[in-house]
Structure formats: structure tokens, C-alpha cells
Amino acid sequence: MIKFDKLGPEKILEVYDPKSGMKGILVIDSTARGPGKGGIRMTPTVSKEEVAKLARVMTWKNSLADLPFGGAKSGILANAKEISLEKKEKLVKAFSKALKSLCPDSYIAAPDMNMAEREMEWFVQTNGDKKSCTGKPTSLGGLPHELGSTGIGVGHATLVALKYLDLDPKSITFAVEGFGNVGTFASKFLTGKGAKLVAVSDSQGCIYLKSGLDYKKLMQVKKETGSVINYENAQKQNNITHVQAEVLITAAIPDVIKKSDIDKLKFKLIVEGSNIPMAEELEETLHQKGILIIPDMIANAGGVISSYVEHINGTEQKMFKLVEEKITKNTALILKLAKEKNISPRKAAIELAEERILKAKKANTR
Ligand code: NAD
């Protein structure tokens, strides 16, 4: 069941094109602060409820990053792994056509699961306005994913949290769950600040090395053998969340931390690079136990900040500058509010996001 409250959702749209067979969903949760911004996912099971939930997270994330965007999300029902490229192009173009009257004034699209630059190019070709989406190829003014905005932002959030805990980056150890786009850039950033990377995982397993893993060597091992687990002399571990390190950066799957892990966690700080790495109740329990958690909607906002810079035709340099400024400022602000109110950083983040949205609604600027 979709929940309606003081924020939204403002619009729920189901679209169908009999010619291509395209079935799609768009949920615009809020446009109080600007056009609803959020990615398109293509999966065989995407539902209105799922899209609505993700659209709300985008409303919060964009508000917290203080961007002139509301929140939205959309989905196309199809199995991207089974359909041909020609079929995929037809579906994306039919979806873009169906949303044309709303994009970009009320909705700005972006890639999500099974969508990337090529799909955004199709979206723009049909819409006719480059502002209808972000995540475009560089030839259309896109800022590539490979610049690492999200992972670098995770690194900045970690530095602020370490300072809050009175820990020196040069004397801490950290573990990274997932060694893809977010995990590699966060690892590079933090090892560059002198922190010691002692554990890493990917889809094939987890490794630990007390004396520290070399970032460049890890990249090489991953490239040459397909997995970090082949790093020489490192010990194989069953679970990255049980390793001995001061900091955990999550950068892979949802729900990596489960109830049964709680008593085995030794981290002082968890920075959520991935989305929903644990249930909200678990986050609250860990907060009560004194583990500091920087929530996903603050820590991994580098991607949406980069989208905003692309939207205003900004440069790579502007993107890096804004990611650093915004993530540093927002992480510090949330930690301050959480301390003052004696609540978890996630609760403080949601309170602040809602306050800003309701203020924008009241001012009725749109
Ligand atoms: P990616 O596909 O580049 O990398 C994912 C990594 O996770 C890979 O190294 C893969 O081997 C590893 N992995 C898969 N299953 C695993 C498992 N069971 N245990 C450990 N590792 C596993 O993805 P990404 O872009 O780095 O995104 C990672 C997470 O961050 C996702 O949850 C994504 O939604 C979230 N996120 C990404 C961005 C972004 O801009 N890239 C922005 C916000 C949130």
C-alpha cells in the first residue's frame, strides 16, 4: 500500500504503449523544492509501491543535499537481461514519449538498475530536451559515473565523522564492503588520507590483511583475476561485517548487516555508501550501542550532487568542489543536530529534510 502524507506523493502515473508493449510507472513524490528528480529502473518486478518508496528517499536526499530538486522515481517493467537491445531501445523511447509532457518541468530522469548512458541518450532523443535527464554520455554534456562522485563523497563524509569521533584518519583501520564504483573510489580517497584499508569484499568473498591492503595492488588483482579475493597473503574471511576495523564503508548490497550480526560488530563508525545496508530498526539499535552511523541519504549523495552539476551544464571541477562542500557541510550539520536532540543521525536527517520541504511548500515558490 502506498502511504500518502504531508509531503506526497503528488503524482502516480502508470503508462502503457500497446505498440512496443512498454509498461511503466512514474511516482513524483514532491516538487516542493523543484522538479522531481530520480532514476529509472528496468526490472521485471518493479511495482508502484517500490517506486513510491524510492521516490520518497529521493525527496529526502535532494532536500538534504540542498539541491533545487524534489523527489521522484520511475520504472519500466521488463527483463533487461533477456530482451534484445532493439527491444530495450523501443521500450525506453516509448517511456520517454509517454512522460514527455512532464519532463523536465516536473520530472528529471536518471539511470538506475539496468539503465546507463546509452539509455539516457535514447531518453533525450525522444524528449528533445537535454534537461529531461542526467547521466547522459559526455557527448551530450554528461558527467561520467567513472569520475567517482559518490565514492569520493563517501570519503568526505567519513573524514567529518572521524573528526567528530576525535579520530585521526592516519591512525585508523577501515573495511570496505563491495569493490565497485563506490567502494574503489572511497578506498582510494581514504588510503590517500593515510587510513589503513584492512579488509575488502566483493561478490566472490572477503579478505583481511592486518598490515594493510595496497589500493593499487587491489585494483590490479581485481582487474587481472576478476576478484579481490586473489590478493596474495591476505586471509579469507566469511563476513566483512565481523572483521576487526574501526570503520566500515558499505558499498554493495542492501541488508548486509543483519540482526544476527549485531553482537559481532567491532566498528566505531559505519558509513553507508550503499543504500539501506541494514533495516532502520537495526540502525537504531546500533546507535543505542554507541556505533556512529552516517546514513545513506547523507553519505552517498555525491551522485545526486553530480547530477545537479550536469543539469546546470557545470564542469568536472565544479562537481568535485560541490561534492566536497555539500557532503562536508551536511554531514557536520546532521551530526550536530543529532547530538543536540539526542537522536540518531538518520532521524536528524529526516527531520531536517522534512523541515526544508515543508518550508518550501509554505513559501509556495513553485
Ligand atoms: P557496482 O556494481 O559498481 O559495484 C558493486 C560491488 O559490489 C562489486 O564489486 C560487486 O562485486 C560487489 N558485490 C556484489 N555482491 C556482493 C556481496 N554479496 N558482498 C560483497 N560485495 C558484493 O555498484 P556501485 O555503483 O559501486 O554501487 C554500490 C552500492 O551503492 C549500490 O547499493 C548502489 O545502489 C549504491 N549507490 C551507488 C551510487 C553511485 O553513484 N554509484 C550512488 C548512490 C548509491
Side-chain angles (χ1 to χ4, degrees):
M1 272 265 287
I2 292 177
K3 230 178 81 198
F4 292 86
D5 60 23
K6 57 191 178 213
L7 301 185
E10 292 173 11
K11 265 195 185 78
I12 300 173
L13 203 69
E14 278 185 87
V15 290
Y16 172 58
D17 172 43
K19 199 168 160 207
S20 60
M22 179 277 297
K23 277 187 192 153
I25 301 157
L26 167 68
V27 176
I28 301 178
D29 183 54
S30 169
T31 56
R33 291 176 52 88
K37 177 95 186 70
I40 310 172
R41 60 175 48 182
M42 181 181 276
T43 66
T45 53
V46 64
S47 66
K48 268 189 292 190
E49 286 73 16
E50 174 187 345
V51 174
K53 235 180 181 172
L54 295 161
R56 172 57 53 88
V57 175
M58 291 308 297
T59 301
W60 283 331
K61 199 182 267 193
N62 290 326
S63 165
L64 284 168
D66 213 0
L67 298 171
F69 289 143
K73 200 87 185 186
S74 65
I76 302 173
L77 276 134
N79 190 334
K81 295 188 176 74
E82 277 179 6
I83 57 173
S84 67
L85 204 59
E86 290 74 27
K87 174 81 179 172
K88 194 177 193 192
E89 181 174 351
K90 281 196 180 118
L91 296 181
V92 173
K93 287 188 165 173
F95 190 57
S96 176
K97 192 174 167 204
L99 305 190
K100 197 165 184 269
S101 62
L102 292 166
C103 295
D105 288 348
S106 303
Y107 176 53
I108 300 170
D112 193 69
M113 283 162 79
N114 298 314
M115 292 279 148
E117 287 181 3
R118 180 187 53 205
E119 287 76 11
M120 293 306 105
E121 188 167 358
W122 296 333
F123 194 91
V124 169
Q125 277 170 3
T126 306
N127 179 284
D129 188 339
K130 277 191 202 168
K131 290 210 178 290
S132 61
C133 69
T134 60
K136 301 180 291 285
T138 37
S139 57
L140 289 174
L143 288 170
H145 193 56
E146 291 71 29
L147 292 172
S149 56
T150 304
I152 293 170
V154 168
H156 287 298
T158 309
L159 289 188
V160 176
L162 287 174
K163 194 170 166 200
Y164 178 86
L165 291 173
D166 217 5
L167 291 169
D168 179 359
K170 290 193 181 66
S171 57
I172 61 119
T173 54
F174 73 109
V176 175
E177 178 244 358
F179 207 60
N181 184 271
V182 177
T184 54
F185 279 97
S187 302
K188 186 179 180 189
F189 181 96
L190 290 169
T191 51
K193 299 287 172 198
K196 196 199 276 182
L197 177 59
V198 290
V200 170
S201 69
D202 64 18
S203 57
Q204 295 190 39
C206 169
I207 51 163
Y208 174 83
L209 188 62
K210 197 175 176 196
S211 58
L213 297 155
D214 181 72
Y215 167 76
K216 279 195 186 143
K217 205 167 142 194
L218 266 175
M219 290 295 279
Q220 197 188 344
V221 171
K222 176 102 188 167
K223 195 173 158 209
E224 284 171 5
T225 71
S227 173
V228 293
I229 58 167
N230 301 310
Y231 192 101
E232 243 173 58
N233 297 327
Q235 298 162 8
K236 301 244 183 351
Q237 302 282 312
N238 288 331
N239 192 332
I240 186 99
T241 67
H242 300 171
V243 303
Q244 180 72 49
E246 271 135 337
V247 181
L248 171 70
I249 310 280
T250 68
I253 54 164
D255 295 311
V256 61
I257 298 175
K258 301 179 181 58
K259 207 171 172 189
S260 54
D261 296 318
I262 288 222
D263 293 328
K264 298 179 186 125
L265 301 182
K266 301 171 192 88
F267 311 108
K268 291 182 177 149
L269 168 67
I270 298 174
V271 183
E272 298 183 343
S274 55
N275 291 318
I276 337 173
M278 69 188 99
E280 224 175 299
E281 314 84 75
L282 289 191
E283 221 175 281
E284 225 21 69
T285 309
L286 294 186
H287 170 70
Q288 301 300 338
K289 286 183 80 157
I291 299 178
L292 183 64
I293 301 174
I294 306 299
D296 44 13
M297 61 182 90
I298 292 284
N300 71 23
V304 289
I305 297 168
S306 173
S307 300
Y308 167 68
V309 177
E310 175 177 331
H311 183 71
I312 58 167
N313 292 323
T315 59
E316 275 178 40
Q317 288 70 26
K318 175 150 180 120
M319 181 274 282
F320 287 125
K321 192 164 170 274
L322 215 60
V323 167
E324 175 170 1
E325 277 173 16
K326 281 190 177 287
I327 300 250
T328 303
K329 189 172 153 205
N330 295 336
T331 309
L333 179 61
I334 291 307
L335 289 175
K336 182 172 165 272
L337 290 175
K339 194 174 190 177
E340 277 169 14
K341 298 183 173 187
N342 197 20
I343 53 177
S344 67
R346 177 173 294 273
K347 282 200 171 137
I350 293 175
E351 275 189 16
L352 178 67
E354 293 200 351
E355 198 181 297
R356 286 180 178 166
I357 297 156
L358 294 174
K359 199 170 151 202
K361 264 186 186 297
K362 218 169 166 186
N364 201 12
T365 48
R366 279 174 51 86

